[in-house]
Amino acid sequence: MVALARGLEVLRAFRREGEALGNGDFAARTGLSKSTISRLTYTLHRLGYLSFDPETARYRLAPPVLSLGFSCLAGLPVIDLAKPYMQELADYSGMPVALAGRDRLTMIYLERCRGSNPITLAIDVGAHIKLATTAVGRAFLAGISEERRSEIIEDIRHHEGQAWPAIERGINDALETYAKHGYCLSIGEWKADVNSVAVPFIPANGAPVLAFNCGGAASHLTRDWIETDIAARLIELVRNVSAISP
């Protein structure tokens, strides 16, 4: 079990598309010793999960890792069910509409429908964004149990350090907004020029909580437009998807 967990930590060390890492990089990012890393990368390479460049002594993720991701997505029927509703809202708003799930202290994009507005966020499926300061991350927190939420918020507190007081206020405000109105906001808190709104999706079958969001340039997706129009449409999207989900 320990070896498996450490092997997964090595695979998680990759943070950007096409990134190549050496054993020293893995050690720095995982906190594991270089001797342990050497054994793990050798094994993962032999199993086909890492490719190795002998000229640079660096590793890259290999195609079998991608097959695991596709298997995961295939096990989420909500993606295909939600896509028409997501595209409808993207077409209406001109802004991208996305579905995301939690990965530690980030949210990973599982699906994304593009809007027509030329000023848009360049975030594609597989990308990670912060959980604590984004609307989609806060919607995830709103959708889980209070006990689990407290555990994750404690992890965020430790991770954020001196930035925590401002982040805590943002999370609390978002949870209060959700309790009153059914959606969460991030108004210039993830990036200064980006506004977003999100709603949790809580599967009836006990599957992990996900969240839908609509976000874009603050100059176009204003807070007023979100609160008077887009938020209600996103809530309706989630309601429709919930009605047809297994």
Side-chain angles (χ1 to χ4, degrees), residues 21-50:
L21 300 177
N23 283 340
D25 301 313
F26 288 119
R29 293 186 180 185
T30 65
L32 298 173
S33 68
K34 290 186 178 180
S35 59
T36 298
I37 289 295
S38 296
R39 291 194 297 271
L40 291 170
T41 52
Y42 173 79
T43 300
L44 290 168
H45 173 54
R46 289 291 300 272
L47 292 173
Y49 292 108
L50 295 178

mmCIF file of all heavy atoms in Angstrom, residues 21-50:
data_model
loop_
_atom_site.group_PDB
_atom_site.id
_atom_site.type_symbol
_atom_site.label_atom_id
_atom_site.label_comp_id
_atom_site.label_asym_id
_atom_site.label_seq_id
_atom_site.Cartn_x
_atom_site.Cartn_y
_atom_site.Cartn_z
ATOM 1 N N LEU A 21 10.454 15.750 -16.068
ATOM 2 C CA LEU A 21 11.034 15.872 -14.735
ATOM 3 C C LEU A 21 12.137 14.852 -14.525
ATOM 4 O O LEU A 21 12.050 13.714 -14.991
ATOM 5 C CB LEU A 21 9.952 15.648 -13.667
ATOM 6 C CG LEU A 21 8.748 16.600 -13.663
ATOM 7 C CD1 LEU A 21 7.759 16.167 -12.593
ATOM 8 C CD2 LEU A 21 9.190 18.034 -13.446
ATOM 9 N N GLY A 22 13.168 15.275 -13.786
ATOM 10 C CA GLY A 22 14.222 14.365 -13.375
ATOM 11 C C GLY A 22 13.967 13.869 -11.966
ATOM 12 O O GLY A 22 13.067 14.358 -11.278
ATOM 13 N N ASN A 23 14.772 12.919 -11.525
ATOM 14 C CA ASN A 23 14.564 12.371 -10.185
ATOM 15 C C ASN A 23 14.677 13.427 -9.097
ATOM 16 O O ASN A 23 13.980 13.372 -8.078
ATOM 17 C CB ASN A 23 15.557 11.234 -9.933
ATOM 18 C CG ASN A 23 15.155 9.956 -10.640
ATOM 19 O OD1 ASN A 23 13.997 9.775 -11.014
ATOM 20 N ND2 ASN A 23 16.108 9.055 -10.835
ATOM 21 N N GLY A 24 15.538 14.416 -9.301
ATOM 22 C CA GLY A 24 15.655 15.496 -8.324
ATOM 23 C C GLY A 24 14.382 16.318 -8.231
ATOM 24 O O GLY A 24 13.988 16.748 -7.138
ATOM 25 N N ASP A 25 13.733 16.525 -9.381
ATOM 26 C CA ASP A 25 12.465 17.262 -9.383
ATOM 27 C C ASP A 25 11.396 16.488 -8.617
ATOM 28 O O ASP A 25 10.632 17.058 -7.829
ATOM 29 C CB ASP A 25 11.981 17.494 -10.822
ATOM 30 C CG ASP A 25 12.976 18.282 -11.643
ATOM 31 O OD1 ASP A 25 13.466 19.318 -11.143
ATOM 32 O OD2 ASP A 25 13.273 17.862 -12.780
ATOM 33 N N PHE A 26 11.333 15.184 -8.860
ATOM 34 C CA PHE A 26 10.351 14.353 -8.158
ATOM 35 C C PHE A 26 10.591 14.399 -6.644
ATOM 36 O O PHE A 26 9.650 14.505 -5.859
ATOM 37 C CB PHE A 26 10.428 12.904 -8.639
ATOM 38 C CG PHE A 26 9.903 12.678 -10.018
ATOM 39 C CD1 PHE A 26 10.727 12.180 -11.014
ATOM 40 C CD2 PHE A 26 8.571 12.939 -10.336
ATOM 41 C CE1 PHE A 26 10.246 11.956 -12.290
ATOM 42 C CE2 PHE A 26 8.078 12.721 -11.614
ATOM 43 C CZ PHE A 26 8.917 12.225 -12.601
ATOM 44 N N ALA A 27 11.854 14.309 -6.251
ATOM 45 C CA ALA A 27 12.174 14.324 -4.828
ATOM 46 C C ALA A 27 11.741 15.644 -4.190
ATOM 47 O O ALA A 27 11.179 15.667 -3.089
ATOM 48 C CB ALA A 27 13.672 14.098 -4.632
ATOM 49 N N ALA A 28 12.005 16.754 -4.883
ATOM 50 C CA ALA A 28 11.652 18.063 -4.348
ATOM 51 C C ALA A 28 10.138 18.226 -4.227
ATOM 52 O O ALA A 28 9.644 18.837 -3.273
ATOM 53 C CB ALA A 28 12.234 19.163 -5.235
ATOM 54 N N ARG A 29 9.403 17.697 -5.181
ATOM 55 C CA ARG A 29 7.956 17.903 -5.192
ATOM 56 C C ARG A 29 7.197 16.933 -4.294
ATOM 57 O O ARG A 29 6.080 17.223 -3.878
ATOM 58 C CB ARG A 29 7.424 17.810 -6.620
ATOM 59 C CG ARG A 29 7.899 18.947 -7.506
ATOM 60 C CD ARG A 29 7.252 18.926 -8.876
ATOM 61 N NE ARG A 29 7.731 20.028 -9.702
ATOM 62 C CZ ARG A 29 7.266 20.313 -10.916
ATOM 63 N NH1 ARG A 29 6.308 19.560 -11.450
ATOM 64 N NH2 ARG A 29 7.761 21.320 -11.597
ATOM 65 N N THR A 30 7.767 15.777 -4.044
ATOM 66 C CA THR A 30 7.064 14.774 -3.234
ATOM 67 C C THR A 30 7.582 14.680 -1.806
ATOM 68 O O THR A 30 6.890 14.158 -0.929
ATOM 69 C CB THR A 30 7.181 13.381 -3.871
ATOM 70 O OG1 THR A 30 8.562 12.972 -3.866
ATOM 71 C CG2 THR A 30 6.652 13.382 -5.296
ATOM 72 N N GLY A 31 8.809 15.147 -1.567
ATOM 73 C CA GLY A 31 9.409 15.009 -0.254
ATOM 74 C C GLY A 31 10.001 13.640 0.002
ATOM 75 O O GLY A 31 10.478 13.363 1.100
ATOM 76 N N LEU A 32 10.015 12.781 -1.011
ATOM 77 C CA LEU A 32 10.595 11.444 -0.878
ATOM 78 C C LEU A 32 12.093 11.503 -1.147
ATOM 79 O O LEU A 32 12.583 12.402 -1.845
ATOM 80 C CB LEU A 32 9.926 10.483 -1.857
ATOM 81 C CG LEU A 32 8.422 10.265 -1.669
ATOM 82 C CD1 LEU A 32 7.854 9.429 -2.810
ATOM 83 C CD2 LEU A 32 8.144 9.592 -0.330
ATOM 84 N N SER A 33 12.829 10.542 -0.613
ATOM 85 C CA SER A 33 14.275 10.511 -0.815
ATOM 86 C C SER A 33 14.596 10.184 -2.274
ATOM 87 O O SER A 33 13.797 9.565 -2.990
ATOM 88 C CB SER A 33 14.909 9.458 0.090
ATOM 89 O OG SER A 33 14.514 8.151 -0.321
ATOM 90 N N LYS A 34 15.774 10.586 -2.717
ATOM 91 C CA LYS A 34 16.170 10.332 -4.098
ATOM 92 C C LYS A 34 16.299 8.836 -4.384
ATOM 93 O O LYS A 34 16.016 8.387 -5.496
ATOM 94 C CB LYS A 34 17.484 11.059 -4.409
ATOM 95 C CG LYS A 34 17.330 12.570 -4.474
ATOM 96 C CD LYS A 34 18.620 13.247 -4.923
ATOM 97 C CE LYS A 34 18.429 14.752 -5.035
ATOM 98 N NZ LYS A 34 19.669 15.451 -5.462
ATOM 99 N N SER A 35 16.733 8.061 -3.385
ATOM 100 C CA SER A 35 16.844 6.616 -3.601
ATOM 101 C C SER A 35 15.464 5.991 -3.806
ATOM 102 O O SER A 35 15.277 5.119 -4.662
ATOM 103 C CB SER A 35 17.559 5.951 -2.423
ATOM 104 O OG SER A 35 16.851 6.180 -1.209
ATOM 105 N N THR A 36 14.475 6.459 -3.026
ATOM 106 C CA THR A 36 13.106 5.961 -3.191
ATOM 107 C C THR A 36 12.551 6.375 -4.545
ATOM 108 O O THR A 36 11.919 5.580 -5.248
ATOM 109 C CB THR A 36 12.203 6.502 -2.070
ATOM 110 O OG1 THR A 36 12.680 6.038 -0.813
ATOM 111 C CG2 THR A 36 10.764 6.047 -2.265
ATOM 112 N N ILE A 37 12.807 7.627 -4.926
ATOM 113 C CA ILE A 37 12.342 8.122 -6.224
ATOM 114 C C ILE A 37 12.940 7.299 -7.355
ATOM 115 O O ILE A 37 12.245 6.938 -8.321
ATOM 116 C CB ILE A 37 12.702 9.615 -6.393
ATOM 117 C CG1 ILE A 37 11.839 10.476 -5.475
ATOM 118 C CG2 ILE A 37 12.544 10.051 -7.840
ATOM 119 C CD1 ILE A 37 10.373 10.473 -5.796
ATOM 120 N N SER A 38 14.212 7.002 -7.274
ATOM 121 C CA SER A 38 14.869 6.222 -8.332
ATOM 122 C C SER A 38 14.192 4.866 -8.522
ATOM 123 O O SER A 38 13.983 4.418 -9.656
ATOM 124 C CB SER A 38 16.353 6.020 -8.002
ATOM 125 O OG SER A 38 17.031 7.254 -7.988
ATOM 126 N N ARG A 39 13.852 4.210 -7.425
ATOM 127 C CA ARG A 39 13.172 2.919 -7.518
ATOM 128 C C ARG A 39 11.781 3.070 -8.122
ATOM 129 O O ARG A 39 11.363 2.259 -8.968
ATOM 130 C CB ARG A 39 13.077 2.274 -6.135
ATOM 131 C CG ARG A 39 14.408 1.823 -5.558
ATOM 132 C CD ARG A 39 14.213 0.905 -4.355
ATOM 133 N NE ARG A 39 13.536 1.584 -3.260
ATOM 134 C CZ ARG A 39 14.153 2.266 -2.307
ATOM 135 N NH1 ARG A 39 15.479 2.398 -2.326
ATOM 136 N NH2 ARG A 39 13.462 2.837 -1.326
ATOM 137 N N LEU A 40 11.080 4.125 -7.721
ATOM 138 C CA LEU A 40 9.713 4.317 -8.202
ATOM 139 C C LEU A 40 9.677 4.680 -9.688
ATOM 140 O O LEU A 40 8.868 4.143 -10.451
ATOM 141 C CB LEU A 40 9.022 5.415 -7.385
ATOM 142 C CG LEU A 40 8.713 5.064 -5.929
ATOM 143 C CD1 LEU A 40 8.255 6.301 -5.175
ATOM 144 C CD2 LEU A 40 7.651 3.972 -5.850
ATOM 145 N N THR A 41 10.559 5.586 -10.118
ATOM 146 C CA THR A 41 10.550 5.971 -11.525
ATOM 147 C C THR A 41 10.987 4.812 -12.412
ATOM 148 O O THR A 41 10.465 4.641 -13.518
ATOM 149 C CB THR A 41 11.454 7.197 -11.764
ATOM 150 O OG1 THR A 41 12.766 6.966 -11.224
ATOM 151 C CG2 THR A 41 10.855 8.446 -11.137
ATOM 152 N N TYR A 42 11.920 4.009 -11.930
ATOM 153 C CA TYR A 42 12.341 2.828 -12.690
ATOM 154 C C TYR A 42 11.153 1.887 -12.885
ATOM 155 O O TYR A 42 10.895 1.397 -13.998
ATOM 156 C CB TYR A 42 13.470 2.110 -11.961
ATOM 157 C CG TYR A 42 13.854 0.789 -12.583
ATOM 158 C CD1 TYR A 42 14.676 0.743 -13.721
ATOM 159 C CD2 TYR A 42 13.391 -0.408 -12.055
ATOM 160 C CE1 TYR A 42 15.013 -0.472 -14.299
ATOM 161 C CE2 TYR A 42 13.726 -1.623 -12.622
ATOM 162 C CZ TYR A 42 14.539 -1.655 -13.750
ATOM 163 O OH TYR A 42 14.873 -2.864 -14.323
ATOM 164 N N THR A 43 10.416 1.646 -11.811
ATOM 165 C CA THR A 43 9.268 0.733 -11.884
ATOM 166 C C THR A 43 8.169 1.297 -12.779
ATOM 167 O O THR A 43 7.600 0.588 -13.615
ATOM 168 C CB THR A 43 8.705 0.475 -10.474
ATOM 169 O OG1 THR A 43 9.727 -0.108 -9.666
ATOM 170 C CG2 THR A 43 7.506 -0.462 -10.528
ATOM 171 N N LEU A 44 7.849 2.579 -12.618
ATOM 172 C CA LEU A 44 6.800 3.195 -13.428
ATOM 173 C C LEU A 44 7.184 3.224 -14.906
ATOM 174 O O LEU A 44 6.329 3.083 -15.783
ATOM 175 C CB LEU A 44 6.515 4.614 -12.920
ATOM 176 C CG LEU A 44 5.818 4.692 -11.554
ATOM 177 C CD1 LEU A 44 5.852 6.119 -11.023
ATOM 178 C CD2 LEU A 44 4.375 4.192 -11.658
ATOM 179 N N HIS A 45 8.480 3.387 -15.171
ATOM 180 C CA HIS A 45 8.953 3.338 -16.557
ATOM 181 C C HIS A 45 8.798 1.927 -17.129
ATOM 182 O O HIS A 45 8.321 1.745 -18.252
ATOM 183 C CB HIS A 45 10.412 3.784 -16.613
ATOM 184 C CG HIS A 45 11.044 3.623 -17.955
ATOM 185 N ND1 HIS A 45 10.512 4.164 -19.109
ATOM 186 C CD2 HIS A 45 12.171 2.966 -18.334
ATOM 187 C CE1 HIS A 45 11.288 3.860 -20.129
ATOM 188 N NE2 HIS A 45 12.285 3.121 -19.687
ATOM 189 N N ARG A 46 9.173 0.930 -16.360
ATOM 190 C CA ARG A 46 9.046 -0.456 -16.806
ATOM 191 C C ARG A 46 7.580 -0.846 -17.044
ATOM 192 O O ARG A 46 7.267 -1.616 -17.948
ATOM 193 C CB ARG A 46 9.667 -1.408 -15.775
ATOM 194 C CG ARG A 46 11.181 -1.353 -15.691
ATOM 195 C CD ARG A 46 11.823 -1.924 -16.960
ATOM 196 N NE ARG A 46 11.443 -3.312 -17.189
ATOM 197 C CZ ARG A 46 12.069 -4.363 -16.698
ATOM 198 N NH1 ARG A 46 13.125 -4.184 -15.902
ATOM 199 N NH2 ARG A 46 11.663 -5.588 -16.973
ATOM 200 N N LEU A 47 6.675 -0.279 -16.253
ATOM 201 C CA LEU A 47 5.253 -0.567 -16.397
ATOM 202 C C LEU A 47 4.599 0.232 -17.525
ATOM 203 O O LEU A 47 3.443 -0.012 -17.867
ATOM 204 C CB LEU A 47 4.527 -0.271 -15.080
ATOM 205 C CG LEU A 47 4.868 -1.195 -13.903
ATOM 206 C CD1 LEU A 47 4.217 -0.681 -12.630
ATOM 207 C CD2 LEU A 47 4.417 -2.624 -14.194
ATOM 208 N N GLY A 48 5.335 1.202 -18.062
ATOM 209 C CA GLY A 48 4.817 1.967 -19.190
ATOM 210 C C GLY A 48 4.120 3.260 -18.841
ATOM 211 O O GLY A 48 3.615 3.952 -19.723
ATOM 212 N N TYR A 49 4.117 3.636 -17.550
ATOM 213 C CA TYR A 49 3.434 4.863 -17.156
ATOM 214 C C TYR A 49 4.309 6.103 -17.314
ATOM 215 O O TYR A 49 3.796 7.225 -17.324
ATOM 216 C CB TYR A 49 2.949 4.760 -15.708
ATOM 217 C CG TYR A 49 1.846 3.737 -15.549
ATOM 218 C CD1 TYR A 49 2.075 2.526 -14.909
ATOM 219 C CD2 TYR A 49 0.578 3.976 -16.067
ATOM 220 C CE1 TYR A 49 1.065 1.579 -14.780
ATOM 221 C CE2 TYR A 49 -0.432 3.036 -15.946
ATOM 222 C CZ TYR A 49 -0.178 1.836 -15.305
ATOM 223 O OH TYR A 49 -1.176 0.895 -15.187
ATOM 224 N N LEU A 50 5.610 5.915 -17.425
ATOM 225 C CA LEU A 50 6.536 7.016 -17.685
ATOM 226 C C LEU A 50 7.401 6.672 -18.878
ATOM 227 O O LEU A 50 7.804 5.511 -19.056
ATOM 228 C CB LEU A 50 7.442 7.268 -16.471
ATOM 229 C CG LEU A 50 6.803 7.758 -15.177
ATOM 230 C CD1 LEU A 50 7.865 7.899 -14.089
ATOM 231 C CD2 LEU A 50 6.083 9.074 -15.387
#
